[in-house]
Amino acid sequence: MKKLLNTLFVTQPDVYLSLDGDNIVLLKEQEKLGRLPLHNLESIIAFGYTGASPALMGYCAERNISIAFMTMNGRFIARVIGMSKGNVVLRKKQYLLSEDEAESAKVARNFIVGKIYNHKWMLERMTRDYPLRIDVPQFKEVSQKLSSLIKEVRACEDLELLRGLEGQAAFNYYRLFDPMILQQKEDFYFHTRSRRPPLDNINAMLSFSYTLLANDMTAALEGVGLDAYVGFLHRDRPGRVSLALDVMEELRGVYADRFVIGLVNKKVLNKDDFLKKENGAVIMRDDARKKFVSAWQEKKQEKITHPYLGEKISWGLVPHVQALLLARYLRGDLDEYPPFLWK
């Protein structure tokens, strides 16, 4: 288990949650794994649980401590809350800010700052790790452009201008996506982003990774009581998880893109794992998709130090921590939403 931001994350599988006095007790096959006072907790997020006692759920409901249940893969199942006073206030603030484009821009620009910053440091890390295999001056030039764009984004208070700056940053970043692919160059290349449908092997993997990341982000937002469908940068559209797409912007490159590039460079997947259809669309074969998802779940277990909290957590908890930080900002506990800045 891991306690972050007054939230208890139960990440071990097959754990039963019970109540003992004013404490939550974690049991696995009748063995006590942990015990923690409930008085200073705001929420509990359990992955792969076997159950929770009615006594614990009742205790938490009375004290406005939410319990969110997830599968081990991070899919949101349910959230147990008491009287929804706190949740209503949080969502009303989210809806209020979303209706105001100027206020939305102030929130959205931090998502974009995080995205561009992480793209910049992906390029910087390439120059450090592979100086003999890439064009270092070109990477440095684009890195400097991204630094300049970050400054412009920080000062931007208009959504349309913000989208334009994000587009400029994406154009420059994608220019260097193909050089970051160091292995299997004949079969894995990137010329431009193609979505519906993906037209090459890399785009097929990118689309799938973004889908997985969006699902993880949606579950994280629902777990803290936010509405994943009401965003700030991405505006309302029926069926679109706009807020999940907002918050995952800062994780697209550093999480999803690096993951895809790693699968190719480590030769986890090869050209035989893909199928090209008559309309030109490229899809992953079933076995390849299973390998992809398995590697994705392994990636989520890797430990990193969260740049804002300064604590070691798994990659899989990053969407949940960012959702918590966003909720705290909307409640007024933080002056500004702190994006995930990787280096």
Side-chain angles (χ1 to χ4, degrees), residues 11 14 17 38 51-52 101 118 127-128 145 191 242 245 264 288 296 313:
T11 55
D14 304 325
L17 313 178
L38 284 161
E101 290 206 359
N118 292 334
T127 66
R128 184 195 71 186
K145 287 182 180 178
H191 298 319
S242 296
L245 296 177
V264 176
W296 182 265
I313 64 171

Side-chain angles (χ1 to χ4, degrees), residues 26-313:
L26 280 62
L27 301 170
K28 186 169 184 178
E29 298 177 354
Q30 302 306 311
E31 178 187 353
K32 186 182 293 185
L33 298 181
R35 177 189 180 95
L36 197 70
L38 284 161
H39 63 84
N40 62 349
L41 287 181
E42 293 179 359
S43 59
I44 300 165
I45 298 179
F47 296 82
Y49 71 103
T50 57
S53 71
L56 175 67
M57 290 190 283
Y59 181 100
C60 291
E62 288 177 2
R63 290 158 180 81
N64 203 31
I65 302 171
S66 68
I67 307 177
F69 298 109
M70 312 275 180
T71 67
M72 279 306 295
N73 292 339
R75 181 174 60 82
F76 178 79
I77 300 173
R79 186 167 180 262
V80 178
I81 57 173
M83 294 179 66
S84 56
K85 53 187 179 183
N87 198 38
V88 166
V89 171
L90 176 63
R91 290 204 177 198
K92 282 183 72 175
K93 184 63 177 294
Q94 178 187 354
Y95 300 149
L96 186 65
L97 292 184
S98 178
E99 288 296 316
D100 187 324
E101 290 206 359
E103 291 298 323
S104 291
K106 292 178 183 178
V107 185
R109 66 187 177 192
N110 280 20
F111 303 139
I112 301 304
V113 165
K115 178 179 184 177
I116 301 174
Y117 180 96
N118 292 334
H119 283 172
K120 169 187 168 62
W121 283 103
M122 285 176 64
L123 303 183
E124 288 289 344
R125 184 166 286 199
M126 287 295 295
T127 66
R128 184 195 71 186
D129 294 344
Y130 305 103
L132 301 180
R133 304 187 66 178
I134 63 171
D135 186 341
V136 172
Q138 185 184 31
F139 272 68
K140 288 291 186 181
E141 178 188 352
V142 172
S143 176
Q144 290 174 4
K145 287 182 180 178
L146 295 183
S147 293
S148 298
L149 285 168
I150 289 173
K151 293 178 182 178
E152 292 187 56
V153 169
R154 285 190 187 278
C156 184
E157 297 184 356
D158 180 271
L159 273 179
E160 282 305 314
L161 291 176
L162 191 58
R163 294 188 185 101
L165 293 170
E166 189 274 334
Q168 291 180 48
F171 173 78
N172 281 282
Y173 164 74
Y174 279 128
R175 282 171 51 203
L176 297 182
F177 197 100
D178 190 67
M180 289 191 280
I181 303 168
L182 304 176
Q183 301 289 339
Q184 309 184 80
K185 294 292 288 184
E186 290 186 5
D187 304 306
F188 293 90
Y189 47 82
F190 182 89
H191 298 319
T192 188
R193 181 78 178 103
S194 55
R195 297 174 177 80
R196 301 181 184 88
L199 300 176
D200 55 59
N201 297 344
I202 288 291
N203 272 293
M205 288 193 290
L206 287 177
S207 291
F208 192 40
S209 68
Y210 294 159
T211 297
L212 293 176
L213 183 55
N215 289 339
D216 289 346
M217 198 71 248
T218 299
L221 293 166
E222 294 288 347
V224 301
L226 288 166
D227 189 334
Y229 289 84
V230 178
F232 302 105
L233 179 68
H234 295 82
R235 308 311 286 172
D236 295 350
R237 182 185 298 174
R240 182 168 75 175
V241 284
S242 296
L243 186 61
L245 296 177
D246 281 357
V247 188
M248 68 177 270
E249 286 292 349
E250 58 205 73
L251 299 177
R252 281 180 186 268
V254 71
Y255 197 127
D257 293 0
R258 286 182 71 238
F259 174 76
V260 167
I261 292 169
L263 288 184
V264 176
N265 288 343
K266 294 173 185 175
K267 300 183 179 179
V268 176
L269 297 182
N270 58 55
K271 64 178 181 179
D272 296 328
D273 289 315
F274 298 84
L275 176 67
K276 190 160 189 174
K277 302 177 76 173
E278 290 182 3
N279 66 349
V282 174
I283 61 172
M284 281 188 285
R285 298 181 184 274
D286 289 342
D287 289 346
R289 196 174 291 109
K290 291 176 183 177
K291 285 192 288 184
F292 192 103
V293 171
S294 176
W296 182 265
Q297 297 304 327
E298 288 179 14
K299 171 73 174 176
K300 287 165 72 170
Q301 302 307 312
E302 291 180 11
K303 299 291 185 181
I304 62 162
T305 299
H306 191 278
Y308 181 76
L309 301 182
E311 292 193 47
K312 279 196 173 296
I313 64 171

